[in-house]
Amino acid sequence: MKLVENKLLRDKLHVFEDRKEAGKLLASELKDYKDTDAIVLAIPSGGVPVAAEIVNALNLSFDLLTVRKIQIPFNPEAGFGAVGPDGEPIFNETVLNGLMLSEGDIKEQVKKALESVRKRNELFRGNRPLPLLIDRVVIIVDDGLASGFTMLAGINYVKRQRPEEIVVAVPTASERAVLFLLPHVDKLICLNIRGGPFFAVADAYRNWYDLSEEEVMEILRQLSFL
């Protein structure tokens, strides 16, 4: 496992203009993979504009890695697990044990997460088959990591496909997420690592907003993915 960071950006806020600039800066850290068989997997929605810059700069294959958190019923902004594109759930046992949810509640929330993955795959991928990843370098891209738990669902899915190497590349992440994910990948590239008790991905960007589905689809069209 190897960590690559920009120490000049450690614990700094608003270091990127937007996701496009962050993607270009990440591409410079990934230049060794240019014109290779490596594939970039973007986590929608926020990871798509970041990944697009990497793909265009390095002439790499592209696809999507649809993962969704399993929401807490009474606090949908938070989650107690995540599901990957093949529907395999993982649970944050520490959080789950403190929620006192019934087995029915858990199954219902997993079902909702799976349905969200299905709808996103239909919308953004047209339900095309997932790419073959065996013996390939796989670069998983998102716009940032808060807890890292949803990313872990994506990493676990990729691992089951027996790749040659797994690289996670993100512009920003909490120090907790970096330490949590590092043992699970071959390389983690994060330009802006921040410690402290509070973390928001948005705080790394001067221009931040949630992408609409149409904006994501337009980027995918520009990549000739749709």
Side-chain angles (χ1 to χ4, degrees):
M1 67 193 83
K2 179 182 179 183
L3 174 63
V4 178
E5 70 165 307
N6 185 333
K7 293 187 183 299
L8 295 176
L9 301 183
R10 171 72 78 143
D11 290 326
K12 289 185 167 52
L13 302 176
H14 308 124
V15 293
F16 309 114
E17 179 60 32
D18 53 21
R19 292 179 178 96
K20 288 185 68 172
E21 182 193 46
K24 289 174 181 174
L25 292 171
L26 273 178
S28 67
E29 296 291 345
L30 291 160
K31 58 183 180 298
D32 288 347
Y33 299 101
K34 184 174 183 179
D35 297 320
T36 68
D37 187 46
I39 182 170
V40 174
L41 298 183
I43 295 181
S45 296
V48 173
V50 180
E53 298 300 323
I54 295 169
V55 170
N56 288 331
L58 303 182
N59 189 32
L60 296 175
S61 300
F62 171 84
D63 211 306
L64 297 176
L65 184 63
T66 308
V67 294
R68 299 295 278 173
K69 70 183 172 187
I70 303 170
Q71 296 174 316
I72 296 173
F74 47 84
N75 183 13
E77 291 301 312
F80 61 86
V83 294
D86 57 355
E88 189 73 27
I90 59 171
F91 297 103
N92 186 329
E93 298 294 346
T94 301
V95 174
L96 186 57
N97 289 340
L99 292 174
M100 306 297 289
L101 296 176
S102 70
E103 186 174 338
D105 288 335
I106 294 169
K107 287 182 176 178
E108 179 62 23
Q109 295 308 112
V110 170
K111 181 181 176 182
K112 288 180 180 179
L114 292 173
E115 179 63 12
S116 178
V117 167
R118 186 195 67 77
K119 286 183 176 179
R120 284 195 149 203
N121 272 332
E122 183 177 341
L123 179 65
F124 295 145
R125 303 188 71 260
N127 283 328
R128 68 178 71 188
L130 292 162
L132 293 175
L133 305 178
I134 186 169
D135 295 331
R136 297 182 75 178
V137 173
V138 179
I139 303 169
I140 308 174
V141 176
D142 205 351
D143 56 3
L145 302 172
S147 73
F149 210 84
T150 303
M151 174 63 80
L152 182 61
I155 291 168
N156 286 348
Y157 165 76
V158 171
K159 276 185 178 178
R160 290 192 286 273
Q161 314 312 308
R162 293 178 291 150
E164 176 187 329
E165 180 183 8
I166 299 176
V167 180
V168 166
V170 291
T172 187
S174 70
E175 187 174 37
R176 294 185 305 278
V178 169
L179 295 176
F180 171 59
L181 290 176
L182 195 55
H184 298 279
V185 297
D186 298 291
K187 185 185 296 183
L188 197 158
I189 301 172
C190 180
L191 303 177
N192 169 236
I193 299 175
R194 284 180 276 139
F198 304 107
F199 178 89
V201 170
D203 287 343
Y205 297 88
R206 294 186 289 277
N207 180 16
W208 169 270
Y209 63 95
D210 291 330
L211 279 85
S212 68
E213 291 178 346
E214 181 53 44
E215 284 174 302
V216 174
M217 293 173 72
E218 179 57 30
I219 296 170
L220 296 177
R221 283 191 285 266
Q222 291 171 7
L223 291 169
S224 301
F225 187 74
L226 286 179

